[in-house]
Amino acid sequence: MKNKSKYILSEDVEVSIAKMSLTGSVAWGNLRNTLTSNHKVPIIIDGKEEVLGINEVKNMLFSGNEKLRKNAAESEKKSNKFIEEGVGASLNGIKGEVITICDMKGYKSPLEKTLIDSRMDEKTLNSMIKAMEESLEDFQKYFKKKAKLLGHKDKLPYYDIMAPVGNVNKKYSYEEAKDFIVKHFNSFSKEMGDMATKAFNNRWIDAEVRSGKRGGAFCSNLYCIGESRILCSFSGSFKNVCTLAHELGHAYHGMILTKEELLNTKYPMPLAETASIFSETMVRNAALKDADREESLAILGAELVNNSSVIVDIYARFLFEKEVFERRKDGELSVEEIKEIMIKAQKKAYGEAIDEKTLDPYAWIHKPHYYYAERNFYNFPYAFGLLFAKGLYSQYLKEGSSFVEKYNKILGLAGKASIYDVAKFAGIDVHDINFWRSSLNIVKKDIERFIFL
């Protein structure tokens, strides 16, 4: 807080900025939200023309039907033309305001502000990004294998990146999911297992599928009562089991932080996913031990869809946002320029494994992260979270039960130390590219296993 105070302007200027933002970035954000949330997509399904909400169409990209995935992607692209100008103006307005305010406050760039807010230094970011770039070749091998499994002759279409592979018909009851998670949390520590049991038994979790309930999943840690509340929609898939484990990981982090003073409980974005991904990895690896070929293919396939999103697509988003900021300094960008920047970023990230004709020039329209004036570069923290958690999980496999106390201290430090110091306590040097390479090597082994299944 003391370090960040040097970027605070005089009170009257800060008040003026806050008031002006209501008719600036806030208004632009509201416009974009209105345009995208009310966006409808005309689509022909089974010979019948329908008009569906954007989220319903996007969910089709996870369908097992290749024709439906292609139809959904192409229909969405066509429909985005109707809102591209309004959303493009919103992007220009928000990014322009961010550049102006960062300059007024003395930040070298919006990226430097994000790094300071994240308690992360540039050397850490550069080492991680370099390692991610090195791993892109491995992901291309995965995309090519997936293309073959889905029946494509050569390259994978962009609309098939999220497509499922393998065949897992197994359904879990809520009680079975509870028993599976508690069992494997207990294998890590009794404290973690007891917390999960308490969460299930005391109804911290709203898992019911019902009409009118928002999508997605999240966990809110309530320091004031030393508990957490989790929202998700459990329908019995293994993915739902992993989501429960993920959110319970957040709850465990919250429980550890109840031992800290309130001031020391707010952790930066890059460390926010540490406990959740660690817990999810533990449960997924346990399931893989007893899985047959088809189940392994589906479990690994889902894991690699997530990993490719967090490494490859996040890298594309980082490149896109960085170039948008650089070019926005010289003036407003046309919609065609924005689309050109997005395709350029996707080409560099996905490489030759993806059919270039199917790339999505509109991938910036429905990603809300680009429109948060206070949270720019809302992308690389996800990559950090995944790779840092995988590095910690690798340590756990080597050290066994002796790692538990260290892990708890790491989670406790997350609210009061810089990222470098938290990692240093864990015996990790985040400035060293070899740490990031070792975490990505875990993903590489999953890719190799997927390829040879």
Side-chain angles (χ1 to χ4, degrees):
M1 288 169 70
K2 183 181 175 184
N3 288 336
K4 287 173 71 175
S5 67
K6 62 186 174 186
Y7 297 102
I8 297 174
L9 302 172
S10 63
E11 185 177 353
D12 59 333
V13 174
E14 288 287 353
V15 169
S16 296
I17 289 173
K19 287 181 177 178
M20 290 294 287
S21 72
L22 296 176
T23 51
S25 59
V26 174
W28 283 119
N30 289 339
L31 170 64
R32 180 260 164 197
N33 292 342
T34 300
L35 288 171
T36 55
S37 62
N38 294 317
H39 183 54
K40 300 292 183 183
V41 181
I43 184 170
I44 296 173
I45 299 176
D46 297 328
K48 181 183 176 184
E49 185 170 354
E50 298 186 40
V51 180
L52 303 177
I54 183 64
N55 290 328
E56 194 172 350
V57 173
K58 281 194 171 292
N59 284 340
M60 292 176 183
L61 297 175
F62 295 87
S63 166
N65 185 324
E66 194 265 340
K67 285 184 179 177
L68 183 61
R69 295 193 300 269
K70 183 179 181 181
N71 187 13
E74 291 178 349
S75 298
E76 187 205 324
K77 276 185 197 176
K78 288 177 187 174
S79 72
N80 283 333
K81 280 192 170 293
F82 296 108
I83 60 171
E84 63 178 7
E85 290 293 342
V87 179
S90 299
L91 187 68
N92 271 296
I94 291 167
K95 296 309 187 193
E97 179 180 293
V98 170
I99 291 167
T100 300
I101 292 174
C102 283
D103 187 51
M104 288 173 65
K105 293 192 171 190
Y107 293 104
K108 293 176 186 174
S109 66
L111 179 56
E112 185 192 47
K113 181 183 185 303
T114 299
L115 287 169
I116 290 169
D117 289 344
S118 300
R119 303 183 209 154
M120 185 171 172
D121 57 62
E122 194 173 0
K123 192 170 181 180
T124 299
L125 176 65
N126 291 341
S127 294
M128 182 182 75
I129 294 290
K130 180 75 166 58
M132 288 167 63
E133 289 170 341
E134 292 175 357
S135 75
L136 296 178
E137 192 175 326
D138 295 318
F139 280 100
Q140 287 184 27
K141 292 175 185 175
Y142 154 66
F143 290 133
K144 287 178 179 177
K145 173 66 176 181
K146 185 166 185 176
K148 189 175 178 182
L149 288 170
L150 293 173
H152 300 292
K153 289 182 181 178
D154 185 17
K155 300 180 180 183
L156 183 71
Y158 187 79
Y159 58 76
D160 271 353
I161 287 172
M162 298 295 179
V165 293
N167 183 26
V168 174
N169 295 317
K170 182 176 180 181
K171 289 288 183 181
Y172 292 79
S173 70
Y174 192 63
E175 280 300 312
E176 286 172 334
K178 169 190 170 183
D179 292 343
F180 190 77
I181 290 169
V182 169
K183 175 185 174 184
H184 294 294
F185 275 24
N186 270 321
S187 72
F188 179 76
S189 75
K190 186 176 183 300
E191 189 177 24
M192 184 182 278
D194 288 348
M195 184 279 306
T197 300
K198 188 176 180 182
F200 281 108
N201 292 346
N202 292 6
R203 300 178 65 200
W204 293 5
I205 306 166
D206 175 1
E208 181 188 19
V209 178
R210 61 179 181 272
S211 177
K213 184 176 179 180
R214 61 151 283 182
F218 67 84
C219 172
S220 290
N221 295 326
L222 306 172
Y223 180 87
C224 53
I225 58 172
E227 296 181 0
S228 297
R229 294 294 182 268
I230 290 168
L231 179 137
C232 62
S233 295
F234 185 86
S235 56
S237 70
F238 180 69
K239 185 177 185 297
N240 293 156
V241 178
C242 289
T243 298
L244 271 173
H246 182 102
E247 301 306 331
L248 285 165
H250 283 303
Y252 183 69
H253 197 170
M255 185 192 79
I256 295 296
L257 288 171
T258 59
K259 301 166 188 174
E260 302 288 337
E261 294 297 327
L262 179 61
L263 192 65
N264 294 330
T265 59
K266 188 176 180 182
Y267 41 76
M269 261 292 293
L271 293 175
E273 297 299 318
T274 302
S276 54
I277 293 173
F278 187 96
S279 299
E280 186 180 348
T281 302
M282 192 159 52
V283 167
R284 182 177 282 109
N285 285 359
L288 274 170
K289 286 180 182 176
D290 302 321
D292 60 26
R293 181 189 177 277
E294 281 298 305
E295 289 172 337
S296 295
L297 194 62
I299 292 169
L300 276 173
E303 171 72 350
L304 291 172
V305 163
N306 180 58
N307 288 345
S308 65
S309 294
V310 175
I311 302 301
V312 186
D313 201 57
I314 286 292
Y315 177 62
R317 293 187 218 176
F318 175 74
L319 293 177
F320 169 78
E321 192 162 4
K322 195 175 180 191
E323 185 165 349
V324 165
F325 269 124
E326 286 168 1
R327 290 171 62 170
R328 180 63 184 83
K329 285 187 288 188
D330 299 324
E332 287 197 11
L333 299 166
S334 69
V335 167
E336 289 309 310
E337 286 176 304
I338 297 170
K339 291 195 287 188
E340 166 210 317
I341 296 168
M342 178 54 79
I343 291 294
K344 179 182 171 184
Q346 288 175 350
K347 282 182 181 178
K348 187 167 182 182
Y350 286 96
E352 61 171 20
I354 302 295
D355 182 355
E356 190 176 303
K357 299 189 297 294
T358 65
L359 293 173
D360 184 8
Y362 290 113
W364 49 277
I365 282 185
H366 297 287
K367 292 282 191 302
H369 298 166
Y370 299 126
Y371 306 90
Y372 300 155
E374 293 299 317
R375 293 184 179 182
N376 299 284
F377 292 98
Y378 204 119
N379 38 57
F380 70 78
Y382 284 99
F384 183 100
L386 177 78
L387 297 176
F388 187 61
K390 283 189 177 293
L392 291 178
Y393 188 76
S394 181
Q395 278 195 353
Y396 163 58
L397 293 179
K398 291 174 188 171
E399 298 177 23
S401 58
S402 64
F403 178 77
V404 174
E405 187 179 352
K406 182 197 287 186
Y407 179 69
N408 290 343
K409 286 181 179 176
I410 290 165
L411 297 183
L413 279 172
K416 59 187 177 186
S418 70
I419 281 175
Y420 182 82
D421 287 338
V422 170
K424 187 178 178 182
F425 177 82
I428 293 168
D429 181 1
V430 286
H431 287 170
D432 186 354
I433 193 173
N434 289 317
F435 165 70
W436 303 107
R437 286 171 176 158
S438 66
S439 289
L440 283 159
N441 198 44
I442 297 170
V443 180
K444 182 179 180 179
K445 286 177 182 176
D446 283 344
I447 290 173
E448 289 170 351
R449 185 173 176 182
F450 178 83
I451 288 172
F452 293 110
L453 268 174

